[in-house]
Amino acid sequence: MTWKELLDLAERFSSVDSGKKQVYGLYQTRGAASLMYDIAAASALKLVDAKSGKLLIDSDGWKEAIKMATNSVRNKAAYAPPPLEEGEQLEGYEYTGDLKQYSRSNELFYMGQAAMTIQAPWFAFFLRDITYYSKTPEIDWGIAAAPVNPAKPDESAYVKLSEIYAISADSPNKRAAWEFVKFVNGPEMAQVAGKAVYAKLPTRSDNFKDFRGRETDAFYLLKPMQASSVSDKKSIPPGFQTEFDSLLSNALKSLIDKEKTLDDAVAELQIKGQEMLERLRETK
């Protein structure tokens, strides 16, 4: 599905009758800004132009991503937690084994108040373990491919190679190094990797057909997008992303609450964000 198709589907769940509890179509552990960035990544949008150094938040692509994210949150199609208060810690972004802490952040999904969620592979372990440590009944779930750009439906902005083995050009043991690289990328290692999946998935899918009783085809339908990061560290000075995201969260909240129009909120973001960029570049 494209992001539009996914969010259209998500909106169908917002009217589901569940007594006093609101049902959402899409649940995520981060706020509206994170949803906006995910949508932007699928379209390969860049936050700052690498050549001119200009902030690009006022472009049509970014406006569409902002509109889709804020409309979905306002319409209850997507759940996004409110912006963090100063000094508040984010919970639930990564499952580190603290089941009690993590479950508080994902309760909407496994309690049946959210139809879909976008998570890393280890989420399957969480869904398995939560039934052991609580009275939560086991839920039926499946895996689908992440949203795509309709212009490049065979690529994904969310598929990344986490480890690449390489050999130094001046290595004194090139032959031995090649043998090692061949081994770790070979079928024997793949058999082991396919049985010990947690946070990462093996690139060889032959030995990874089943994941907690679910087919894994969806993980391998798409190839990595060539440029999937919206923020290029070369064109963004240190500290900018944190400052800008604070500004962005407030702007998105004003749109969700209908306090500002899209054009007004984006125009203000463009001016303040550009000033922020130039100030941080001067102090770099």
Side-chain angles (χ1 to χ4, degrees):
M1 292 184 288
T2 65
W3 267 106
K4 184 181 184 308
E5 290 169 332
L6 186 149
L7 293 175
D8 284 347
L9 174 61
E11 192 168 353
R12 292 167 58 186
F13 289 91
S14 64
S15 59
V16 170
D17 185 9
S18 183
K20 296 180 180 180
K21 296 181 178 180
Q22 174 68 46
V23 174
Y24 300 88
L26 177 65
Y27 173 76
Q28 58 170 30
T29 53
R30 288 183 177 256
S34 178
L35 178 58
M36 179 210 70
Y37 279 131
D38 282 345
I39 295 170
S43 298
L45 299 179
K46 292 296 181 184
L47 190 58
V48 176
D49 182 74
K51 293 183 178 179
S52 66
K54 182 179 180 293
L55 185 67
L56 302 174
I57 200 71
D58 63 348
S59 66
D60 291 342
W62 279 103
K63 283 185 178 180
E64 182 63 20
I66 291 171
K67 181 180 178 181
M68 290 173 67
T70 54
N71 282 354
S72 296
V73 174
R74 186 190 314 109
N75 298 336
K76 310 296 184 183
Y79 173 82
L84 294 175
E85 299 294 333
E86 187 174 350
E88 187 178 0
Q89 293 294 315
L90 177 70
E91 293 182 353
Y93 182 60
E94 185 173 357
Y95 180 33
T96 58
D98 185 348
L99 192 68
K100 186 176 181 181
Q101 175 183 352
Y102 188 76
S103 64
R104 286 198 300 269
S105 297
N106 290 280
E107 187 175 3
L108 290 180
F109 180 76
Y110 69 78
M111 291 300 290
Q113 285 180 252
M116 298 175 283
T117 184
I118 298 177
Q119 301 281 352
W122 40 253
F123 192 67
F125 290 85
F126 166 76
L127 292 177
R128 178 201 65 183
D129 294 345
I130 190 64
T131 60
Y132 295 160
Y133 296 99
S134 72
K135 297 180 181 179
T136 305
E138 186 173 352
I139 65 171
D140 189 16
W141 56 275
I143 306 168
V148 298
N149 180 349
K152 296 182 178 180
D154 61 337
E155 295 184 2
S156 174
Y158 322 107
V159 178
K160 296 179 174 64
L161 291 174
S162 58
E163 295 173 344
I164 299 175
Y165 292 89
I167 301 169
S168 174
D170 57 358
S171 170
N173 301 299
K174 288 186 175 65
R175 185 67 263 163
W178 274 116
E179 290 301 319
F180 173 76
V181 170
K182 184 169 70 173
F183 171 73
V184 295
N185 288 285
E188 296 87 355
M189 195 70 173
Q191 289 180 4
V192 177
K195 296 177 182 178
V197 171
Y198 183 63
K200 302 169 185 175
L201 303 178
T203 52
R204 285 176 175 263
S205 60
D206 293 345
N207 300 104
F208 187 56
K209 296 292 186 182
D210 180 273
F211 189 44
R212 300 296 164 193
R214 275 74 181 176
E215 294 182 357
T216 61
D217 294 350
F219 287 128
Y220 297 96
L221 286 175
L222 309 171
K223 61 185 180 182
M225 186 182 292
Q226 187 171 1
S228 58
S229 176
V230 299
S231 300
D232 185 357
K233 292 182 179 180
K234 294 180 180 179
S235 55
I236 295 179
F240 171 77
Q241 196 70 60
T242 301
E243 283 195 41
F244 181 75
D245 284 352
S246 177
L247 198 67
L248 174 66
S249 293
N250 291 331
L252 297 184
K253 186 178 184 304
S254 71
L255 286 171
I256 293 169
D257 296 340
K258 291 188 173 182
E259 296 173 351
K260 293 180 181 178
T261 66
L262 177 63
D263 287 341
D264 288 345
V266 171
E268 185 177 339
L269 261 179
Q270 179 66 34
I271 293 172
K272 292 184 176 180
Q274 188 64 44
E275 291 174 349
M276 189 183 296
L277 258 179
E278 294 170 3
R279 170 173 56 80
L280 290 172
R281 284 196 183 107
E282 290 175 359
T283 58
K284 184 177 178 181

